Amino acid sequence: MLSVSDVAKRVRRDPETVRRWIRGGRLRAQKIGTQHFVEESDLDTVAESDTTALPEQLQRMYDGSPMPDWERMIRNDRNSH
């Protein structure tokens, strides 16, 4: 079983996002004391369905060229520090 912080690290999200997933029913978790714990199999299901792709109309720039991969660029920039 994984804690909320462990889940957040694996899916590269903020722990509060993971808590929202749990509260919203998107991610199953067991509450032990005051903390939530997630089974790895449940995490795999949510991680596979998590799509951060842009809607089709936003995947191209005005001139028709493909939209840059902003997420990758930001992550690379953050990791370079």
Side-chain angles (χ1 to χ4, degrees):
M1 294 189 84
L2 303 168
S3 68
V4 169
S5 60
D6 292 335
V7 171
K9 287 176 189 173
R10 285 197 182 191
V11 296
R12 294 177 155 174
R13 297 285 191 266
D14 189 83
E16 188 54 37
T17 299
V18 175
R19 289 185 194 95
R20 261 187 256 117
W21 290 350
I22 292 169
R23 284 192 303 267
R26 182 174 173 188
L27 179 62
R28 287 181 24 175
Q30 293 180 352
K31 191 168 186 178
I32 301 173
T34 59
Q35 294 191 16
H36 287 97
F37 292 91
V38 176
E39 293 286 342
E40 286 193 52
S41 59
D42 293 329
L43 174 60
D44 292 340
T45 303
V46 171
E48 288 172 5
S49 68
D50 183 34
T51 57
T52 57
L54 291 170
E56 191 171 325
Q57 66 269 26
L58 297 177
Q59 291 181 4
R60 298 220 167 259
M61 309 247 330
Y62 288 113
D63 64 359
S65 62
M67 184 67 71
D69 187 351
W70 297 111
E71 182 180 0
R72 182 182 51 79
M73 292 168 59
I74 291 169
R75 283 201 177 131
N76 288 342
D77 184 58
R78 288 180 181 168
N79 291 334
S80 68
H81 296 287

